[in-house]
């Protein structure tokens, strides 16, 4: 599925005011895509607000130093939000919108989705999706071209971060020669990759390092090492003083184990239940497995959420992963 960019541009031209929204626990692709799209729309003299259910993680605040991204419930009330169009970026699922889901559902304005994930729900929006895109940030670059907008350094920095993180700093199988062509364009706009890498990966807090140590120390294997899995509970965050956002990218560390084909991490959430992240570097389809648990994503990476105790959630999810691994290996 590819994006019909002329239709996208035509629809944009009909509106003056926009609210940009992304998923809960926003990652760099979500934040970078929102900031990039906001820059594009403002260059078209549109009125733009970015409003999310969760605040920007401290590790990504360098992308929005002025604090332009608003948070629902933090001086922003649902009944105060109005615009001509709500644009949802980097997700196509109600459950991923958190408290912003009711805002989107109850809004009488038009809605658009720009996303690269496979699964989708009926959000009452016009869908603009490309499953082959390595990041939503890539689609935002294409949107700039479709709208005839030049990308400045600030926008390029946000979009570079979006693409770099969703490709594991260009090491995932989703990377193609086109990825590097887009990245080259962003560098030509003034991006300094070494600076972004430093901001993303060389500014860890001691608390985050301690949390990673806990996560890695609990790594277990199944199926002769083909599947690795680990977990983190709320009490662990409290014990080391870490944030929930400090788990970002932890699952990818487990894939460094030799002969590993797939990985799962279970992250307890403050209201209860567990966020589950899936990774695969074989024919196992993470999106298909995640969909069994109300989630989704991509073949190589997906996520879901389940209520229940750690033992209950872990046993059900690992059983599904083992079933699928035994089928494909």
């Amino acid at each position: 599925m590819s994006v019909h960019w002329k239709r996208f541009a035509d629809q944009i031209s009909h509106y003056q005011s926009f609210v940009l929204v992304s998923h809960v626990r926003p990652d760099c692709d979500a934040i970078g895509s929102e900031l990039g799209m906001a820059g594009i729309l403002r260059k078209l003299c549109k009125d733009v607000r970015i409003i999310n259910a969760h605040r920007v993680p401290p590790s990504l605040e360098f992308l929005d130093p002025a604090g332009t991204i608003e948070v629902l419930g933090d001086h922003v009330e649902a009944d105060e939000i109005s615009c001509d169009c709500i644009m949802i970026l980097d997700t196509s699922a109600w459950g991923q919108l958190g408290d912003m889901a009711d805002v989107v559902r109850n809004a009488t304005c038009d809605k658009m989705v720009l996303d690269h994930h496979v699964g989708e729900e009926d959000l009452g929006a016009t869908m603009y999706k490309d499953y082959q895109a390595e990041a939503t940030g890539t689609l935002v670059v294409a949107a700039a071209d479709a709208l005839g907008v030049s990308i400045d350094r600030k926008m390029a920095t946000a979009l570079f971060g979006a693409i770099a993180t969703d490709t594991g700093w260009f090491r995932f199988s989703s990377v193609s020669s086109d990825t590097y062509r887009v990245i080259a364009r962003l560098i030509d706009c003034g991006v300094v990759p070494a600076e972004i890498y430093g901001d993303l990966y060389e500014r860890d807090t001691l608390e985050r390092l301690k949390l990673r140590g806990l996560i890695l120390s609990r790594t277990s294997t199944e199926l002769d090492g083909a599947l690795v899995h680990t977990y983190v509970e709320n009490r662990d965050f409290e014990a080391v003083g870490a944030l929930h956002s400090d788990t970002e990218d932890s699952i990818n560390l487990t894939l460094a184990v030799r002969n590993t084909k797939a990985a799962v991490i279970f992250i307890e959430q403050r209201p209860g239940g567990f966020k589950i992240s899936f990774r695969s570097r074989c024919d196992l389809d993470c999106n298909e497995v995640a969909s069994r648990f109300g989630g989704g994503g991509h073949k190589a990476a997906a996520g879901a959420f389940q209520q229940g105790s750690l033992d209950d959630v872990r046993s059900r999810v690992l059983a599904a992963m083992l079933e699928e691994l035994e089928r494909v290996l």
Side-chain angles (χ1 to χ4, degrees), residues 6-19:
K6 185 180 184 304
R7 186 176 67 176
F8 178 90
D10 287 344
Q11 187 169 358
I12 291 289
S13 69
H14 292 152
Y15 313 124
Q16 176 57 38
S17 58
F18 291 80
V19 168

Side-chain angles (χ1 to χ4, degrees), residues 103-176:
V103 174
V104 174
R105 188 178 285 110
N106 296 329
T108 57
C109 65
D110 289 346
K111 295 126 187 174
M112 306 169 66
V113 168
L114 186 62
D115 186 25
H116 71 131
H117 294 95
V118 175
E120 65 181 59
E121 296 176 349
D122 183 4
L123 302 186
T126 306
M127 293 284 182
Y128 298 97
K129 300 187 66 166
D130 185 347
Y131 309 146
Q132 302 303 313
E134 60 277 87
T136 299
T138 304
L139 298 179
V140 176
V141 174
D145 292 341
L147 293 164
V149 172
S150 61
I151 298 174
D152 59 32
R153 180 176 179 176
K154 182 179 178 181
M155 295 157 57
T157 297
L159 294 170
F160 184 103
I163 299 168
T165 53
D166 247 35
T167 59
W169 205 261
F170 316 110
R171 72 185 190 274
F172 294 167
S173 60
S174 58
V175 173
S176 68

Side-chain angles (χ1 to χ4, degrees), residues 54-129:
H54 289 175
R55 64 181 62 256
V56 176
S59 60
L60 298 179
E61 287 177 347
F62 74 95
L63 292 173
D64 184 32
T68 62
I69 297 177
E70 303 175 83
V71 182
L72 185 66
D74 186 5
H75 306 296
V76 179
E77 300 303 324
D79 58 5
E80 299 172 355
I81 299 173
S82 64
C83 60
D84 298 329
C85 179
I86 294 176
M87 185 184 296
I88 304 160
L89 297 114
D90 202 39
T91 184
S92 307
W94 283 117
Q96 284 289 299
L97 293 175
D99 290 342
M100 282 299 293
D102 284 340
V103 174
V104 174
R105 188 178 285 110
N106 296 329
T108 57
C109 65
D110 289 346
K111 295 126 187 174
M112 306 169 66
V113 168
L114 186 62
D115 186 25
H116 71 131
H117 294 95
V118 175
E120 65 181 59
E121 296 176 349
D122 183 4
L123 302 186
T126 306
M127 293 284 182
Y128 298 97
K129 300 187 66 166

Side-chain angles (χ1 to χ4, degrees), residues 15-38:
Y15 313 124
Q16 176 57 38
S17 58
F18 291 80
V19 168
L20 308 186
V21 180
S22 193
H23 53 76
V24 294
R25 298 176 295 275
D27 57 11
C28 197
D29 193 21
I31 298 298
S33 296
E34 288 180 313
L35 290 169
M37 182 57 70

Side-chain angles (χ1 to χ4, degrees), residues 4 65 97 146 153 163 207 214 289 293 296:
H4 192 310
L97 293 175
R153 180 176 179 176
I163 299 168
E207 292 78 11
L214 276 175
V289 177
F293 300 96

Side-chain angles (χ1 to χ4, degrees), residues 15-320:
Y15 313 124
Q16 176 57 38
S17 58
F18 291 80
V19 168
L20 308 186
V21 180
S22 193
H23 53 76
V24 294
R25 298 176 295 275
D27 57 11
C28 197
D29 193 21
I31 298 298
S33 296
E34 288 180 313
L35 290 169
M37 182 57 70
I40 291 168
L41 294 173
R42 287 174 181 139
K43 284 197 170 189
L44 294 171
C45 299
K46 308 291 186 180
D47 302 317
V48 186
R49 297 174 72 184
I50 303 174
I51 307 174
N52 290 332
H54 289 175
R55 64 181 62 256
V56 176
S59 60
L60 298 179
E61 287 177 347
F62 74 95
L63 292 173
D64 184 32
T68 62
I69 297 177
E70 303 175 83
V71 182
L72 185 66
D74 186 5
H75 306 296
V76 179
E77 300 303 324
D79 58 5
E80 299 172 355
I81 299 173
S82 64
C83 60
D84 298 329
C85 179
I86 294 176
M87 185 184 296
I88 304 160
L89 297 114
D90 202 39
T91 184
S92 307
W94 283 117
Q96 284 289 299
L97 293 175
D99 290 342
M100 282 299 293
D102 284 340
V103 174
V104 174
R105 188 178 285 110
N106 296 329
T108 57
C109 65
D110 289 346
K111 295 126 187 174
M112 306 169 66
V113 168
L114 186 62
D115 186 25
H116 71 131
H117 294 95
V118 175
E120 65 181 59
E121 296 176 349
D122 183 4
L123 302 186
T126 306
M127 293 284 182
Y128 298 97
K129 300 187 66 166
D130 185 347
Y131 309 146
Q132 302 303 313
E134 60 277 87
T136 299
T138 304
L139 298 179
V140 176
V141 174
D145 292 341
L147 293 164
V149 172
S150 61
I151 298 174
D152 59 32
R153 180 176 179 176
K154 182 179 178 181
M155 295 157 57
T157 297
L159 294 170
F160 184 103
I163 299 168
T165 53
D166 247 35
T167 59
W169 205 261
F170 316 110
R171 72 185 190 274
F172 294 167
S173 60
S174 58
V175 173
S176 68
S177 58
D178 287 337
T179 308
Y180 291 105
R181 291 186 184 95
V182 171
I183 289 301
R185 286 182 56 191
L186 298 178
I187 292 174
D188 288 341
C189 293
V191 168
V192 180
E195 291 181 358
I196 298 179
Y197 186 91
D199 285 327
L200 286 170
Y201 303 115
E202 296 176 340
R203 300 289 187 273
D204 279 347
T205 63
L206 182 59
E207 292 78 11
R208 184 174 185 176
L209 289 178
K210 288 181 177 180
L211 184 69
R212 285 185 171 183
L214 276 175
I215 291 170
L216 292 175
S217 71
R218 292 169 176 163
T219 302
S220 301
T221 65
E222 311 286 343
L223 212 63
D224 296 325
L227 174 64
V228 298
H229 56 93
T230 186
Y231 66 92
V232 57
E233 298 177 282
N234 283 329
R235 61 185 177 182
D236 299 321
F237 296 105
E238 298 166 3
V240 301
L243 304 172
H244 275 68
S245 59
D246 287 331
T247 58
E248 183 70 27
D249 205 44
S250 292
I251 187 173
N252 294 323
L253 299 176
T254 65
L255 289 172
V257 179
R258 185 171 56 185
N259 298 324
T260 297
K261 303 300 182 186
V264 185
I265 185 171
F266 303 88
I267 304 170
E268 188 175 13
Q269 302 299 294
R270 286 195 184 93
F274 286 82
K275 174 190 174 186
I276 311 157
S277 292
F278 304 84
R279 295 291 185 273
S280 171
R281 55 183 182 192
C282 64
D283 287 338
L284 181 143
D285 189 336
C286 290
N287 178 65
E288 192 281 325
V289 177
S291 68
R292 303 186 199 181
F293 300 96
H298 306 284
K299 180 177 180 180
F305 174 83
Q306 284 285 288
Q307 290 285 359
S309 67
L310 175 61
D311 288 343
D312 170 55
V313 173
R314 183 167 52 184
S315 64
R316 289 187 286 112
V317 171
L318 292 183

